[in-house]
Structures are given as structure tokens and as C-alpha cells.
Amino acid sequence: MPPLNRATRSSKATPGKRRMIGQKDTKMRNVHFLLFAAVVLTLVVLTIPPNSVAQLGIAITIGPPALPVYEQPPCPAEGYLWTPGYWAYDSDDADYYWVPGTWVLAPQVGFLWTPGWWGWGGGAFLFHEGYWGPHVGFYGGVAYGFGYFGNGYEGGRWDGDHFFYNRTVNNVSVTNIHNTYNTTVINNTTVSHVSYNGGEGGITARPSPEEERYANERHVPPVAAQTEHVQAARSDRQLHASVNQGRPPIAATPKPGALNDRAAVPAKEAGAPYHPPANRGGAEQHGNQQAAHPQNDVPRPAAPNDAKDLQSHPRPAAPNTGNAKQDQKYQQQQEKLAAEQEKEHQKLAAQQEKEHQQMTKQNANEAARQQMEQRHQQQTQQMEQKHSQQQQQLQTKQQPRSNPQERPAEPKK
């Protein structure tokens, strides 16, 4: 029997006709193959929820590892939104690799990030790519942490042109970012590190009618920085599951692509014991089962909220105008301002600490405590803003000026 895709020779055909017959047979086989592939792909697509078809990704038969346990690096600046880490798949290596969570500058005001997710459908795991949009849509019910509890987003909200961060689930310092609030998030879902929807051991969540409406809104795909971030993760062998056993050494970064940044954080532990497949790419319908570990989005210790928790301001550089007498005068002004600000800082810290003690003695309820914390946060922010403005004004005043002798002569009257 002749090998597949090789033309069958005819003893009665001329060489030219033989080539034509062979090419025709090859074309017919290719057509049959394409028709078969189209039927298989159609069956897969029909098993996916309608709102997910546009996000169809690579299909494999082995579920991703559990989500690792890790901390969130500090938010670098206002306007950056958190995009949680996830397991992507390298088809060339037949292996999952970890894409670290990272802070990404929103592509436009008012847009939020809907994370990508893995779902079981049509006999395979399919990845649904994340996107930017005016609302957070369905992301498989996967509890990625840090505000992503499985549906919606509790990590922050847009108010006009500014994004306000919920510091109970985000690592945000009020020293650098002033648009913050504190809202305790009650998570009623079972603690889980399962990283996929459907299939054996997967999450059973389905999109709500509201999430289905969000799926039809105008969306923006991952920005260039996110795409480059994924490529950088894929190129790092340490981030492949077969190497890190479900515990990536780089779990999150302060900005996209900053895998070697000093602020990048490693995973504390794998979300569950990692069980690599006997042969990568094999036909098993299972993922790595979850283990009982603290969830990523358990409210983390809040960033400094009271004045006593704030670090002292770094002293400005010594003035250098070229005039020693003037520099000495400016240095004295800086020291005087620093002393006044430190005195005000200590006074506010003592006042806030006294209120904490009074709350404890009175055995105040949680609502009263939250009101006090919000008031303290506002006081601390106002003080920080005032001190920052004072320092800027003094530095502007101390900027070197041109020599009066070099100024053009005033016209004679």
C-alpha cells in the first residue's frame, strides 16, 4: 500500500499525466483533512458559552496547575491596575508556564481588566483571553486574589478621571498614591486555588446575565506591554511548571516585563502538590487538585494608614547655588521646615493613638472602628499633601537665580 500523501503512479499514464494525477490525489486528501478539521473545531466551539467564542485559544487535554500563593508588589503609581498571574501554555514545549501578576497602566480612563481563564469544553481545555472594558466580565469563577474573588472586582473603582484603590486587598502606599479607600471585603466562597473552570475538579461557575451583557460591550485586547510580558515569561525556563513544580520563583512584578526587578516577588508555595503528566500532552482530563492554603486575596496587612506608621521623609539634597552664605541660609530653612513637619507628624500620631486606645476601652463596634480608620487615613493624607507642597515651595524658592550683575541694564528714563 502506498504511503500517505504520495502520488499513485499509473503504468499507462505518461510522465506529465502521472504528475497531474498525483497532484490531484494530494489536493483531494488535503481537502478531506481540512473538512475533517473544520468539523472537529465546530464541535468544540458549539460547547463553549456564546460570550467566549471570540476568545477561543489553544485547546489541550491536561488542566493547568493550581494557582501559587504569593504576595502583591506595591503599586508603582496612580493609574496602574492589577492584572493577576495565571498559567499559560507553551505548545512547543507541551508545558504550562506562569505569567506573573503585574501592575499595568490602564489603556484609557474608565476601563477595567477582566482576567483570562481556562475552561473545559468539547473534550479539551480552552483558554479565554483577558480584555479591557468598562466592566469586569466573566472569568470562569477563578479566585485569582487581590480583589478578584471569582466574579467582579473589589480592588478599586474609577471616580471621574482617577482610579481609587481599596487598600484592604491591594498593596498601595498612601505616601505615593492618595486615591485610596478601605472597604472590608467579605468572601463567602470556599477558599480555592483551582485555576480552571469545568472538567474534573474544576470550578462550576457560569456567567450571570449581567456578565453576559458585559461580554457584548466594546473591549480592548491586552496592551503591547502585556503581550511582551507574556513572551518574557514564556522565554524564562524557571517559570515553566515542569521546572518550578507549581511554585514559580517570580510570581509577581511591579510592572510588565520587569522579571528581574528588585520589587518582583517569588511564590511562597505551590497552591497544591504538583503532579506532572506521565507524558506531556497526553489525553488526561484533569488538573492538579487544590490544597488548603491561605487565599491570595485574604485581606493583607494594610499599608500604613496612621501617622505613626509612616516613614520619615528623606531630607532634600543640600543647596548648592555656588554662594556659600546663601547655601547656609537655605540649609537652615530646610532644617527648620523638617523640624516643624516632624513635630506636626508626632502630634498627629499621638492624637490617633489616643483615639485607638479610647476605642479599645469603649469596646467599640466594627462600624465605629472603620469610621475612625477612614478619618485617620484622611488626616494622614492631608498632612502628607501639605508637607509635600511645603517642601516643593521651599525647593522652588531656593532654585539658583541668575546673577543680578548679568541682567540687562534698565533703560534710562
Side-chain angles (χ1 to χ4, degrees):
M1 184 173 180
L4 184 65
N5 287 341
R6 182 172 295 175
T8 304
R9 290 181 177 271
S10 171
S11 59
K12 295 182 180 181
T14 63
K17 290 182 177 180
R18 290 173 188 165
R19 285 195 296 270
M20 292 175 64
I21 293 172
Q23 291 171 359
K24 185 176 180 180
D25 290 344
T26 302
K27 288 180 180 179
M28 289 300 296
R29 291 190 181 96
N30 288 340
V31 169
H32 292 159
F33 175 78
L34 290 173
L35 287 173
F36 174 76
V39 171
V40 172
L41 182 60
T42 300
L43 292 175
V44 170
V45 171
L46 288 175
T47 62
I48 307 171
N51 64 314
S52 302
V53 173
Q55 300 177 43
L56 177 64
I58 188 169
I60 57 175
T61 54
I62 300 175
L67 298 172
V69 180
Y70 63 95
E71 289 290 330
Q72 184 186 62
C75 181
E78 182 182 339
Y80 280 79
L81 272 61
W82 179 250
T83 60
Y86 64 94
W87 293 102
Y89 190 76
D90 185 349
S91 56
D92 293 336
D93 196 39
D95 193 14
Y96 284 98
Y97 63 95
W98 179 252
V99 178
T102 192
W103 291 97
V104 178
L105 194 62
Q108 69 181 68
V109 171
F111 267 26
L112 301 168
W113 175 248
T114 296
W117 57 283
W118 287 95
W120 176 262
F125 282 101
L126 307 170
F127 184 72
H128 307 267
E129 190 176 56
Y131 57 86
W132 294 94
H135 298 94
V136 176
F138 183 67
Y139 50 94
V142 179
Y144 286 109
F146 312 114
Y148 290 98
F149 288 88
N151 68 295
Y153 179 55
E154 302 291 344
R157 59 175 181 265
W158 286 97
D159 188 351
D161 294 340
H162 298 281
F163 187 79
F164 284 72
Y165 302 82
N166 184 358
R167 292 174 60 243
T168 62
V169 293
N170 279 317
N171 187 359
V172 177
S173 172
V174 295
T175 303
N176 302 323
I177 300 174
H178 305 298
N179 303 328
T180 63
Y181 64 94
N182 282 355
T183 297
T184 302
V185 180
I186 300 175
N187 184 9
N188 294 321
T189 60
T190 304
V191 175
S192 169
H193 288 276
V194 174
S195 59
Y196 58 92
N197 181 291
E200 181 182 345
I203 298 165
T204 58
R206 301 294 294 172
S208 66
E210 190 176 46
E211 288 171 326
E212 290 180 344
R213 288 198 303 272
Y214 294 160
N216 296 321
E217 293 177 328
R218 183 175 71 88
H219 296 154
V220 173
V223 296
Q226 290 175 281
T227 303
E228 294 168 1
H229 183 67
V230 174
Q231 293 303 320
R234 182 180 182 182
S235 300
D236 192 330
R237 289 295 306 165
Q238 296 183 85
L239 296 181
H240 284 239
S242 60
V243 176
N244 60 51
Q245 306 299 299
R247 183 184 178 183
I250 306 170
T253 65
K255 289 184 179 181
L259 302 185
N260 298 319
D261 194 283
R262 293 177 60 183
V265 298
K268 290 185 174 182
E269 55 185 313
Y274 177 71
H275 302 296
N279 57 332
R280 280 190 262 168
E284 292 183 71
Q285 182 200 337
H286 65 79
N288 289 281
Q289 302 301 316
Q290 64 170 323
H293 291 297
Q295 196 171 13
N296 288 336
D297 50 12
V298 169
R300 53 176 292 115
N305 193 44
D306 289 350
K308 68 180 179 63
D309 298 322
L310 290 174
Q311 297 180 354
S312 300
H313 292 290
R315 293 295 178 93
N320 184 17
T321 64
N323 184 324
K325 188 176 181 180
Q326 192 79 353
D327 289 344
Q328 183 179 7
K329 176 185 176 182
Y330 287 165
Q331 184 70 33
Q332 291 173 351
Q333 291 175 346
Q334 288 182 356
E335 291 176 354
K336 180 181 178 181
L337 177 61
E340 291 175 351
Q341 290 182 344
E342 181 63 23
K343 183 178 179 180
E344 186 176 358
H345 189 161
Q346 295 300 330
K347 181 179 179 180
L348 180 59
Q351 174 191 330
Q352 292 175 343
E353 182 62 25
K354 183 178 179 180
E355 292 180 6
H356 275 291
Q357 294 175 358
Q358 290 175 346
M359 281 285 180
T360 302
K361 290 181 180 179
Q362 296 171 2
N363 196 21
N365 58 33
E366 185 62 25
R369 289 180 181 274
Q370 286 191 10
Q371 290 178 358
M372 178 190 67
E373 291 295 346
Q374 291 175 356
R375 185 173 65 255
H376 285 185
Q377 181 187 38
Q378 186 177 21
Q379 293 170 346
T380 304
Q381 288 180 359
Q382 290 174 348
M383 182 188 69
E384 286 292 284
Q385 290 173 353
K386 175 185 174 183
H387 289 179
S388 178
Q389 291 173 356
Q390 289 174 337
Q391 290 177 351
Q392 290 176 1
Q393 290 172 358
L394 182 59
Q395 290 177 10
T396 300
K397 181 180 178 182
Q398 295 178 352
Q399 290 294 324
R401 298 178 181 178
S402 59
N403 192 330
Q405 297 178 356
E406 298 176 356
R407 293 177 183 172
E410 295 182 2
K412 294 182 179 180
K413 296 182 180 179

